[in-house]
Structure formats: structure tokens, C-alpha cells
Amino acid sequence: MGADPKRFPERLGYHGSQYSDDVIWFHAASLGEVMQIGPLAQHLAQTQRATILATTTTAAGADWVARNMPDAIHRFIPIDTPSAVRRFLNTWSLKVAIFVEGDFGPGLIRQLQQKGVPQILLNARHSRTRARFPAVFASLLAPFSLITCRSQSVAQDMRALGLPDGQIQVVPDLRLTLPKLTAPAGLTGSLSDTIGARPLWLAASTHPADESAVLKAHSEVLKAHADAFLIIAPRHPRRGEPLQQLARDQGFHVARRSLCDEISQSTQVYIADTLGEIGALYALSPIAFLGGSFGEEGGHNPYEPASFGSAILYGPRVKNFADAYTALSDVGAAMIVDEPGQLGHAVAGLISDDQSDVLARAGLEYMAQTQDCLSTYSNLIEAVLAPKSV
């Protein structure tokens, strides 16, 4: 969803009277990008004694800022015309312009450079557009004081543009600065007591393209482990009813959390169609399949289950978090399932061989090694902001 039509003047650079206080500006195009900046923005606001300005292009991103960054100012990014950009930049006393992952126009970059505003790109990722137009992006990125890359391969992409090594830093994914999800002990404990010692696996943040594969996989798991228990947590709770019907049509005994259905010994599939409880489910489940990875959604954040010690399985379509899945796979914390039909075999194998413990430990170790990411990011940004000696 694009910008709120009622706020379209912001897209033209109109923001009212000039704001005189020092401002640290973060631009994060949409929800996926803006969700990464909360802890870092709060830290910089305190250490730099500055106001945070957060711009987005979408209303969903604006709503997230309003809910989660109440002390920040939100505006929609101006369109990249000389007059709109000029009006926008003249409104704020900018200490720095920080772009998350990308989304910046040449006119904006040019005027920031003319005003002497330092520019930073955080969490750079692979870009087909950048690869197609290397000369254009080399020119756009040349004025940036700092570019952080989430992997060595992304950094190599940047070096291939002719950017100097001193401009590029390889830093773990910005998402690693986010706080761990909450997992209420009461919920985790009550579900654990009810499920008991039954082999358990979780299909988290599923979409329709995942759900048929997940249910078919559970049929395969039940052949090897007759008392196995599956929790499906659909990405959108409205999927609860159709998912319940789909599971029943395939012969499963189903309970649904939103209806307060009781779990019995005969329950094979539990649909957790509620909000705000996924942390408890990760804490409970030794194996987690991450949805959005068999369809077109691009996958979901694998650091969340890794932080709880869940062994991670995922499909091949994870473009939104490709570097995260690669990093966790490289350390032995996650396994790709290339085809939907292979999911049941993968789950049953992890249960039979107790391999889920090996993946879980690897994930916990990786998360422990990267827990100081916030300090790393803040130190790099504060170095850009530090007064330069003459």
C-alpha cells in the first residue's frame, strides 16, 4: 500500500515550518526495511542527542513507525524532483542521511552532497538493478561515507563498482540488532504440558502455497512417528478457518487456538491462528519450518527461530532473507528443502536422528556471536558523525 493520499503534500516536500533541532534521518522504503531500525534509531537519538526522522514510501511503514517509534517524526519521502527534494531538505537540520538497503534517487543524493550532509547505506544486499547499471550506481554511491554489507559477496559487488575498501564494511544483518521475540512462560508451559513427549514440529508464518505441502509432510511424518504433533501458525490469522477445513479434508484431527479448542491425545494438527504468540511457539518447538519459502512471498526472518534454539527448515524461495538463510546454513543451523515433497522426509529425519539438537545448538551459537551488532552499527555511524580534525 502506497503513501496516504491525505498526506500527498509530503511527497512534494511540504512539511510545515522549518525544524531547527538536529535530526538523524533514516529512510526505509517499506515495512520490511523500517522494522529493522528501531533499536539503532533509539540508541543514536540518545548518544547524539538528536531527533529521529523516519521516512517511508508506504502507509504500512508509516503505521509501524507510529506504533513502535513514538518519539520519532514520520514523513513520506519526497518524490525525486528538484523542487520537492529542496523543500524537504530545507525543512530539517540533518546530521546524517541513513538509507536502509537502498531506495534513493539521484536528485536527492546530489542535493544532500551539495548541502554537505553525510550519507550512509545500511544493510546493502544483492541487487539485479545495480548489476545491470553499474556505472549509474557507482556514481550514486560514490558520495556515501559508509556502506555496510550483510555479506562478503555483497561487499564484493560494491568493490566491483570501483568503490574503495575504506567505504565498505561487512557487518552482520541489521535485523540481528532487533530484540528477541517475547515468549510468555505461561503459554509455553501450558502447551508443553498438554503436548507432552510427543514429537513436535512447527510450520511458522505459512501462506497458502506452503500449507498443502506442510499437511502432506505431516502425513509422511506420522508414518514414521505415529504420535507426531504439528503446530501451524499461519502468517495471517484469517487463514485459520480455511486451513482447518483443508486439514480436516485430509483426515487430520484438528484443534484451533482462536476457538479455544482443547488439545487431546487424538489431536494431530493444532492451528495457532492468533497474533503475538510466535515467540512462545519457537521456544516450544525443536523443529521449525519457515513459511513463505515455497510460494512467492520471499521467506520470513530465520533469526527469530534461531534465537530460541529451533532447528530451521526452509524452502528455496527466500529472496527477502537470502543472506540470513545462507549464513545460518553455512554454520549448520538451517537446512534447505528444495521441493515441497521432500519436507516430510526432512522432518522425520530430524526427529529420528536427533539432528534437530545439532542444528539448534549451531543457531544459538551463531546468535550469541552476533549479539553485539547494535554496538557495531552505532560505532560505525558515530565515526561518520564525529568532528573531523583539521
Side-chain angles (χ1 to χ4, degrees):
M1 183 168 59
D4 184 346
K6 296 178 182 178
R7 295 174 61 182
F8 185 71
E10 293 175 24
R11 298 283 279 150
L12 301 178
Y14 293 106
H15 300 281
S17 58
Q18 189 172 14
Y19 195 89
S20 59
D21 291 351
D22 285 344
V23 167
I24 293 175
W25 172 31
F26 282 86
H27 175 61
S30 57
L31 185 61
E33 292 83 16
V34 78
M35 288 173 65
Q36 303 174 40
I37 70 172
L40 179 58
Q42 181 180 15
H43 178 83
L44 291 174
Q46 294 171 350
T47 60
Q48 299 297 310
R49 297 183 179 180
T51 299
I52 299 298
L53 169 66
T55 60
T56 65
T57 58
T58 67
D63 292 342
W64 188 91
V65 173
R67 291 193 307 271
N68 296 281
M69 299 175 64
D71 295 329
I73 300 170
H74 175 270
R75 295 290 187 268
F76 288 110
I77 187 77
I79 56 178
D80 199 44
T81 64
S83 57
V85 169
R86 184 167 53 253
R87 282 189 289 265
F88 172 80
L89 295 181
N90 286 342
T91 302
W92 314 98
S93 177
L94 297 178
K95 289 173 65 73
V96 64
I98 302 174
F99 299 90
V100 180
E101 296 190 0
D103 192 47
F104 40 79
L108 175 60
I109 298 303
R110 188 180 309 113
Q111 290 200 41
L112 283 168
Q113 189 176 11
Q114 290 170 353
K115 283 183 167 289
V117 177
Q119 298 152 67
I120 294 173
L121 174 60
L122 295 185
N123 224 28
R125 59 184 178 182
H126 293 291
S127 167
R128 292 181 181 178
T129 305
R130 191 170 64 232
R132 288 176 59 195
F133 304 103
V136 172
F137 279 88
S139 177
L140 280 174
L141 293 170
F144 279 65
S145 301
L146 170 67
I147 299 172
T148 72
C149 303
R150 62 177 75 172
S151 68
Q152 287 288 354
S153 60
V154 176
Q156 187 55 43
D157 290 348
M158 295 297 180
R159 296 186 188 103
L161 298 177
L163 301 177
D165 280 346
Q167 193 177 2
I168 300 164
Q169 295 285 338
V170 178
V171 184
D173 197 329
L174 183 59
R175 293 177 180 88
L176 286 163
T177 64
L178 302 179
K180 184 176 178 178
L181 295 173
T182 58
L187 173 58
T188 304
S190 64
L191 285 174
S192 179
D193 291 343
T194 303
I195 297 167
R198 299 172 64 179
L200 167 65
W201 68 292
L202 167 69
S205 295
T206 60
H207 298 264
D210 309 301
E211 288 158 2
S212 293
V214 165
L215 291 171
K216 183 177 179 181
H218 195 51
S219 293
E220 295 299 312
V221 173
L222 288 170
K223 292 176 183 177
H225 307 278
D227 59 343
F229 190 87
L230 165 65
I231 301 175
I232 306 181
R235 184 69 172 181
H236 303 293
R238 64 177 179 273
R239 288 289 306 156
E241 184 174 355
L243 185 52
Q244 180 183 39
Q245 189 60 51
L246 182 64
R248 284 178 172 170
D249 289 346
Q250 296 188 28
F252 291 107
H253 294 279
V254 185
R256 195 165 140 208
R257 182 159 180 77
S258 66
L259 300 180
C260 299
D261 292 342
E262 291 188 5
I263 298 172
S264 69
Q265 281 300 112
S266 64
T267 304
Q268 299 166 311
V269 176
Y270 187 55
I271 300 171
D273 53 341
T274 51
L275 289 173
E277 297 183 340
I278 193 66
L281 300 181
Y282 285 139
L284 180 69
S285 305
I287 301 167
F289 166 75
L290 269 291
S293 58
F294 284 143
E296 301 299 323
E297 294 78 19
H300 294 295
N301 188 350
Y303 298 130
E304 294 174 349
S307 69
F308 285 99
S310 283
I312 299 167
L313 298 173
Y314 64 100
R317 298 183 175 182
V318 291
K319 63 181 181 180
N320 295 340
F321 297 87
D323 292 312
Y325 282 99
T326 298
L328 289 168
S329 296
D330 286 348
V331 299
M335 291 173 49
I336 189 170
V337 179
D338 292 312
E339 300 289 341
Q342 299 172 358
L343 180 58
H345 176 75
V347 174
L350 287 178
I351 294 173
S352 296
D353 300 334
D354 291 329
Q355 283 298 303
S356 63
D357 288 343
V358 176
L359 272 72
R361 285 196 298 272
L364 289 171
E365 289 172 4
Y366 179 86
M367 297 302 291
Q369 291 168 3
T370 56
Q371 65 181 352
D372 289 332
C373 273
L374 181 59
S375 296
T376 302
Y377 275 99
S378 61
N379 289 341
L380 288 169
I381 293 169
E382 286 165 359
V384 172
L385 295 175
K388 304 297 187 290
S389 58
V390 179

